[in-house]
mmCIF file of all heavy atoms in Angstrom:
data_model
loop_
_atom_site.group_PDB
_atom_site.id
_atom_site.type_symbol
_atom_site.label_atom_id
_atom_site.label_comp_id
_atom_site.label_asym_id
_atom_site.label_seq_id
_atom_site.Cartn_x
_atom_site.Cartn_y
_atom_site.Cartn_z
ATOM 1 N N MET Z 100 -21.487 19.760 4.312
ATOM 2 C CA MET Z 100 -20.362 19.690 3.372
ATOM 3 C C MET Z 100 -20.872 19.314 1.976
ATOM 4 O O MET Z 100 -20.414 19.844 0.970
ATOM 5 C CB MET Z 100 -19.332 18.670 3.862
ATOM 6 C CG MET Z 100 -18.668 19.101 5.166
ATOM 7 S SD MET Z 100 -17.602 17.810 5.841
ATOM 8 C CE MET Z 100 -16.794 18.713 7.174
ATOM 9 N N ASN Z 101 -21.833 18.410 1.937
ATOM 10 C CA ASN Z 101 -22.482 18.043 0.670
ATOM 11 C C ASN Z 101 -23.067 19.295 0.022
ATOM 12 O O ASN Z 101 -22.917 19.533 -1.182
ATOM 13 C CB ASN Z 101 -23.568 16.997 0.937
ATOM 14 C CG ASN Z 101 -24.587 16.898 -0.193
ATOM 15 O OD1 ASN Z 101 -25.578 17.634 -0.189
ATOM 16 N ND2 ASN Z 101 -24.348 16.044 -1.154
ATOM 17 N N PHE Z 104 -20.433 21.652 -1.533
ATOM 18 C CA PHE Z 104 -19.928 21.215 -2.844
ATOM 19 C C PHE Z 104 -21.014 21.218 -3.915
ATOM 20 O O PHE Z 104 -20.721 21.426 -5.087
ATOM 21 C CB PHE Z 104 -19.253 19.836 -2.724
ATOM 22 C CG PHE Z 104 -17.881 19.915 -2.137
ATOM 23 C CD1 PHE Z 104 -17.588 19.365 -0.903
ATOM 24 C CD2 PHE Z 104 -16.865 20.577 -2.822
ATOM 25 C CE1 PHE Z 104 -16.308 19.448 -0.359
ATOM 26 C CE2 PHE Z 104 -15.576 20.682 -2.297
ATOM 27 C CZ PHE Z 104 -15.310 20.114 -1.050
ATOM 28 N N ASP Z 105 -22.247 21.004 -3.494
ATOM 29 C CA ASP Z 105 -23.350 21.109 -4.456
ATOM 30 C C ASP Z 105 -23.414 22.530 -5.021
ATOM 31 O O ASP Z 105 -23.527 22.730 -6.226
ATOM 32 C CB ASP Z 105 -24.671 20.737 -3.760
ATOM 33 C CG ASP Z 105 -25.844 20.753 -4.726
ATOM 34 O OD1 ASP Z 105 -25.921 19.816 -5.551
ATOM 35 O OD2 ASP Z 105 -26.645 21.703 -4.680
ATOM 36 N N ARG Z 107 -20.978 24.612 -5.144
ATOM 37 C CA ARG Z 107 -19.738 24.832 -5.908
ATOM 38 C C ARG Z 107 -19.840 24.226 -7.301
ATOM 39 O O ARG Z 107 -19.005 24.478 -8.155
ATOM 40 C CB ARG Z 107 -18.564 24.135 -5.189
ATOM 41 C CG ARG Z 107 -17.863 24.956 -4.167
ATOM 42 C CD ARG Z 107 -16.788 25.827 -4.799
ATOM 43 N NE ARG Z 107 -15.551 25.089 -5.076
ATOM 44 C CZ ARG Z 107 -14.805 25.271 -6.157
ATOM 45 N NH1 ARG Z 107 -15.169 26.116 -7.082
ATOM 46 N NH2 ARG Z 107 -13.679 24.584 -6.323
ATOM 47 N N GLY Z 108 -20.830 23.352 -7.509
ATOM 48 C CA GLY Z 108 -20.955 22.678 -8.796
ATOM 49 C C GLY Z 108 -20.050 21.471 -8.918
ATOM 50 O O GLY Z 108 -19.796 20.980 -10.018
ATOM 51 N N LEU Z 109 -19.535 20.990 -7.783
ATOM 52 C CA LEU Z 109 -18.683 19.797 -7.791
ATOM 53 C C LEU Z 109 -19.509 18.605 -7.291
ATOM 54 O O LEU Z 109 -19.459 18.230 -6.108
ATOM 55 C CB LEU Z 109 -17.445 20.023 -6.919
ATOM 56 C CG LEU Z 109 -16.398 20.992 -7.486
ATOM 57 C CD1 LEU Z 109 -15.367 21.379 -6.425
ATOM 58 C CD2 LEU Z 109 -15.695 20.387 -8.712
ATOM 59 N N ALA Z 110 -20.265 18.030 -8.217
ATOM 60 C CA ALA Z 110 -21.242 16.988 -7.859
ATOM 61 C C ALA Z 110 -20.571 15.715 -7.325
ATOM 62 O O ALA Z 110 -21.156 15.000 -6.517
ATOM 63 C CB ALA Z 110 -22.117 16.652 -9.066
ATOM 64 N N GLY Z 111 -19.360 15.436 -7.784
ATOM 65 C CA GLY Z 111 -18.649 14.242 -7.313
ATOM 66 C C GLY Z 111 -18.280 14.383 -5.842
ATOM 67 O O GLY Z 111 -18.477 13.459 -5.049
ATOM 68 N N PHE Z 112 -17.753 15.535 -5.488
ATOM 69 C CA PHE Z 112 -17.435 15.810 -4.080
ATOM 70 C C PHE Z 112 -18.722 15.769 -3.255
ATOM 71 O O PHE Z 112 -18.740 15.209 -2.154
ATOM 72 C CB PHE Z 112 -16.783 17.186 -3.916
ATOM 73 C CG PHE Z 112 -15.323 17.224 -4.259
ATOM 74 C CD1 PHE Z 112 -14.914 17.361 -5.583
ATOM 75 C CD2 PHE Z 112 -14.362 17.140 -3.277
ATOM 76 C CE1 PHE Z 112 -13.564 17.406 -5.910
ATOM 77 C CE2 PHE Z 112 -13.010 17.186 -3.578
ATOM 78 C CZ PHE Z 112 -12.610 17.309 -4.910
ATOM 79 N N ALA Z 113 -19.780 16.379 -3.784
ATOM 80 C CA ALA Z 113 -21.075 16.401 -3.082
ATOM 81 C C ALA Z 113 -21.555 14.970 -2.835
ATOM 82 O O ALA Z 113 -22.018 14.632 -1.745
ATOM 83 C CB ALA Z 113 -22.105 17.182 -3.896
ATOM 84 N N ASN Z 114 -21.398 14.119 -3.846
ATOM 85 C CA ASN Z 114 -21.775 12.702 -3.717
ATOM 86 C C ASN Z 114 -20.976 12.024 -2.605
ATOM 87 O O ASN Z 114 -21.528 11.288 -1.788
ATOM 88 C CB ASN Z 114 -21.523 11.988 -5.049
ATOM 89 C CG ASN Z 114 -21.663 10.476 -4.938
ATOM 90 O OD1 ASN Z 114 -22.743 9.964 -4.656
ATOM 91 N ND2 ASN Z 114 -20.577 9.747 -5.151
ATOM 92 N N TRP Z 115 -19.691 12.296 -2.579
ATOM 93 C CA TRP Z 115 -18.809 11.674 -1.580
ATOM 94 C C TRP Z 115 -19.277 12.025 -0.170
ATOM 95 O O TRP Z 115 -19.380 11.163 0.707
ATOM 96 C CB TRP Z 115 -17.360 12.127 -1.802
ATOM 97 C CG TRP Z 115 -16.344 11.226 -1.154
ATOM 98 C CD1 TRP Z 115 -15.773 10.127 -1.709
ATOM 99 C CD2 TRP Z 115 -15.798 11.334 0.169
ATOM 100 N NE1 TRP Z 115 -14.897 9.548 -0.813
ATOM 101 C CE2 TRP Z 115 -14.892 10.267 0.345
ATOM 102 C CE3 TRP Z 115 -15.983 12.240 1.212
ATOM 103 C CZ2 TRP Z 115 -14.163 10.066 1.513
ATOM 104 C CZ3 TRP Z 115 -15.268 12.038 2.392
ATOM 105 C CH2 TRP Z 115 -14.375 10.957 2.532
ATOM 106 N N TYR Z 116 -19.629 13.293 0.037
ATOM 107 C CA TYR Z 116 -20.064 13.717 1.375
ATOM 108 C C TYR Z 116 -21.485 13.264 1.695
ATOM 109 O O TYR Z 116 -21.819 13.056 2.865
ATOM 110 C CB TYR Z 116 -19.888 15.231 1.544
ATOM 111 C CG TYR Z 116 -18.434 15.562 1.785
ATOM 112 C CD1 TYR Z 116 -17.632 16.066 0.770
ATOM 113 C CD2 TYR Z 116 -17.847 15.293 3.013
ATOM 114 C CE1 TYR Z 116 -16.283 16.310 0.981
ATOM 115 C CE2 TYR Z 116 -16.500 15.532 3.232
ATOM 116 C CZ TYR Z 116 -15.724 16.041 2.216
ATOM 117 O OH TYR Z 116 -14.390 16.259 2.431
ATOM 118 N N MET Z 117 -22.300 13.088 0.691
ATOM 119 C CA MET Z 117 -23.643 12.536 0.936
ATOM 120 C C MET Z 117 -23.521 11.099 1.458
ATOM 121 O O MET Z 117 -24.211 10.707 2.407
ATOM 122 C CB MET Z 117 -24.479 12.561 -0.357
ATOM 123 C CG MET Z 117 -25.853 11.931 -0.226
ATOM 124 S SD MET Z 117 -26.878 12.691 1.055
ATOM 125 C CE MET Z 117 -27.517 14.119 0.159
ATOM 126 N N ILE Z 118 -22.606 10.337 0.863
ATOM 127 C CA ILE Z 118 -22.407 8.961 1.320
ATOM 128 C C ILE Z 118 -21.823 8.949 2.731
ATOM 129 O O ILE Z 118 -22.210 8.127 3.563
ATOM 130 C CB ILE Z 118 -21.555 8.173 0.299
ATOM 131 C CG1 ILE Z 118 -22.385 7.977 -0.977
ATOM 132 C CG2 ILE Z 118 -21.111 6.825 0.869
ATOM 133 C CD1 ILE Z 118 -21.623 7.494 -2.177
ATOM 134 N N GLN Z 119 -20.940 9.905 3.007
ATOM 135 C CA GLN Z 119 -20.431 10.032 4.385
ATOM 136 C C GLN Z 119 -21.594 10.230 5.359
ATOM 137 O O GLN Z 119 -21.658 9.601 6.401
ATOM 138 C CB GLN Z 119 -19.488 11.240 4.501
ATOM 139 C CG GLN Z 119 -18.083 11.017 4.010
ATOM 140 C CD GLN Z 119 -17.352 9.938 4.795
ATOM 141 O OE1 GLN Z 119 -17.136 8.856 4.282
ATOM 142 N NE2 GLN Z 119 -16.986 10.221 6.030
ATOM 143 N N MET Z 210 -8.223 12.451 0.976
ATOM 144 C CA MET Z 210 -8.916 13.561 0.317
ATOM 145 C C MET Z 210 -8.046 14.812 0.343
ATOM 146 O O MET Z 210 -7.921 15.523 -0.662
ATOM 147 C CB MET Z 210 -10.247 13.871 1.039
ATOM 148 C CG MET Z 210 -11.327 12.848 0.835
ATOM 149 S SD MET Z 210 -12.085 12.972 -0.800
ATOM 150 C CE MET Z 210 -13.345 14.191 -0.458
ATOM 151 N N LEU Z 224 -8.865 18.914 -11.070
ATOM 152 C CA LEU Z 224 -9.986 18.982 -10.133
ATOM 153 C C LEU Z 224 -11.223 18.328 -10.754
ATOM 154 O O LEU Z 224 -11.969 17.613 -10.080
ATOM 155 C CB LEU Z 224 -10.279 20.447 -9.758
ATOM 156 C CG LEU Z 224 -11.383 20.670 -8.720
ATOM 157 C CD1 LEU Z 224 -10.994 20.064 -7.368
ATOM 158 C CD2 LEU Z 224 -11.677 22.165 -8.554
ATOM 159 N N TYR Z 225 -11.380 18.541 -12.046
ATOM 160 C CA TYR Z 225 -12.505 17.917 -12.768
ATOM 161 C C TYR Z 225 -12.382 16.390 -12.715
ATOM 162 O O TYR Z 225 -13.354 15.691 -12.430
ATOM 163 C CB TYR Z 225 -12.509 18.406 -14.229
ATOM 164 C CG TYR Z 225 -13.605 17.785 -15.070
ATOM 165 C CD1 TYR Z 225 -14.907 18.264 -15.006
ATOM 166 C CD2 TYR Z 225 -13.333 16.701 -15.916
ATOM 167 C CE1 TYR Z 225 -15.917 17.693 -15.762
ATOM 168 C CE2 TYR Z 225 -14.336 16.114 -16.667
ATOM 169 C CZ TYR Z 225 -15.623 16.617 -16.595
ATOM 170 O OH TYR Z 225 -16.625 16.035 -17.335
ATOM 171 N N MET Z 226 -11.177 15.885 -12.942
ATOM 172 C CA MET Z 226 -10.942 14.433 -12.901
ATOM 173 C C MET Z 226 -11.196 13.873 -11.502
ATOM 174 O O MET Z 226 -11.789 12.808 -11.339
ATOM 175 C CB MET Z 226 -9.494 14.111 -13.297
ATOM 176 C CG MET Z 226 -9.101 14.545 -14.680
ATOM 177 S SD MET Z 226 -9.797 13.479 -15.965
ATOM 178 C CE MET Z 226 -8.619 12.135 -15.916
ATOM 179 N N LEU Z 227 -10.733 14.608 -10.510
ATOM 180 C CA LEU Z 227 -10.918 14.182 -9.118
ATOM 181 C C LEU Z 227 -12.404 14.150 -8.772
ATOM 182 O O LEU Z 227 -12.899 13.216 -8.133
ATOM 183 C CB LEU Z 227 -10.152 15.133 -8.186
ATOM 184 C CG LEU Z 227 -10.195 14.838 -6.686
ATOM 185 C CD1 LEU Z 227 -9.773 13.411 -6.378
ATOM 186 C CD2 LEU Z 227 -9.283 15.827 -5.935
ATOM 187 N N ASN Z 228 -13.097 15.165 -9.256
ATOM 188 C CA ASN Z 228 -14.545 15.227 -9.048
ATOM 189 C C ASN Z 228 -15.235 14.014 -9.688
ATOM 190 O O ASN Z 228 -16.128 13.413 -9.102
ATOM 191 C CB ASN Z 228 -15.073 16.538 -9.637
ATOM 192 C CG ASN Z 228 -16.550 16.731 -9.368
ATOM 193 O OD1 ASN Z 228 -16.992 16.765 -8.225
ATOM 194 N ND2 ASN Z 228 -17.330 16.843 -10.435
ATOM 195 N N GLN Z 229 -14.765 13.635 -10.879
ATOM 196 C CA GLN Z 229 -15.307 12.455 -11.567
ATOM 197 C C GLN Z 229 -15.059 11.183 -10.751
ATOM 198 O O GLN Z 229 -15.916 10.320 -10.636
ATOM 199 C CB GLN Z 229 -14.672 12.290 -12.958
ATOM 200 C CG GLN Z 229 -14.989 13.368 -13.949
ATOM 201 C CD GLN Z 229 -16.477 13.409 -14.317
ATOM 202 O OE1 GLN Z 229 -17.222 14.221 -13.771
ATOM 203 N NE2 GLN Z 229 -16.908 12.534 -15.200
ATOM 204 N N GLU Z 230 -13.859 11.101 -10.199
ATOM 205 C CA GLU Z 230 -13.492 9.932 -9.396
ATOM 206 C C GLU Z 230 -14.410 9.809 -8.176
ATOM 207 O O GLU Z 230 -14.908 8.721 -7.850
ATOM 208 C CB GLU Z 230 -12.022 10.064 -8.951
ATOM 209 C CG GLU Z 230 -11.520 8.887 -8.123
ATOM 210 C CD GLU Z 230 -10.183 9.181 -7.438
ATOM 211 O OE1 GLU Z 230 -9.284 9.755 -8.092
ATOM 212 O OE2 GLU Z 230 -10.047 8.848 -6.248
ATOM 213 N N LEU Z 231 -14.652 10.934 -7.528
ATOM 214 C CA LEU Z 231 -15.471 10.914 -6.308
ATOM 215 C C LEU Z 231 -16.948 10.664 -6.622
ATOM 216 O O LEU Z 231 -17.699 10.166 -5.780
ATOM 217 C CB LEU Z 231 -15.301 12.218 -5.523
ATOM 218 C CG LEU Z 231 -13.870 12.475 -5.014
ATOM 219 C CD1 LEU Z 231 -13.770 13.848 -4.377
ATOM 220 C CD2 LEU Z 231 -13.429 11.394 -4.036
ATOM 221 N N ALA Z 232 -17.335 10.972 -7.850
ATOM 222 C CA ALA Z 232 -18.723 10.729 -8.284
ATOM 223 C C ALA Z 232 -19.018 9.236 -8.342
ATOM 224 O O ALA Z 232 -20.173 8.808 -8.270
ATOM 225 C CB ALA Z 232 -18.960 11.362 -9.660
ATOM 226 N N ALA Z 233 -17.958 8.427 -8.467
ATOM 227 C CA ALA Z 233 -18.143 6.978 -8.634
ATOM 228 C C ALA Z 233 -18.370 6.263 -7.300
ATOM 229 O O ALA Z 233 -18.710 5.078 -7.277
ATOM 230 C CB ALA Z 233 -16.915 6.382 -9.320
ATOM 231 N N ARG Z 234 -18.182 6.972 -6.196
ATOM 232 C CA ARG Z 234 -18.377 6.316 -4.897
ATOM 233 C C ARG Z 234 -19.850 5.934 -4.707
ATOM 234 O O ARG Z 234 -20.735 6.736 -4.981
ATOM 235 C CB ARG Z 234 -17.962 7.255 -3.757
ATOM 236 C CG ARG Z 234 -18.035 6.588 -2.393
ATOM 237 C CD ARG Z 234 -17.677 7.538 -1.257
ATOM 238 N NE ARG Z 234 -17.688 6.807 0.011
ATOM 239 C CZ ARG Z 234 -17.593 7.369 1.205
ATOM 240 N NH1 ARG Z 234 -17.479 8.673 1.298
ATOM 241 N NH2 ARG Z 234 -17.612 6.640 2.292
ATOM 242 N N THR Z 235 -20.076 4.701 -4.266
ATOM 243 C CA THR Z 235 -21.455 4.266 -4.025
ATOM 244 C C THR Z 235 -21.638 3.868 -2.567
ATOM 245 O O THR Z 235 -20.686 3.451 -1.900
ATOM 246 C CB THR Z 235 -21.840 3.059 -4.925
ATOM 247 O OG1 THR Z 235 -20.878 2.019 -4.712
ATOM 248 C CG2 THR Z 235 -21.869 3.441 -6.390
#
Side-chain angles (χ1 to χ4, degrees):
M100 294 173 171
N101 161 272
F104 282 114
D105 183 73
R107 271 275 280 142
L109 288 168
F112 280 83
N114 170 64
W115 199 89
Y116 283 102
M117 176 58 82
I118 291 167
Q119 280 298 108
M210 288 284 273
L224 183 64
Y225 178 80
M226 299 285 279
L227 181 53
N228 184 59
Q229 294 295 98
E230 181 193 316
L231 297 174
R234 185 182 183 189
T235 55

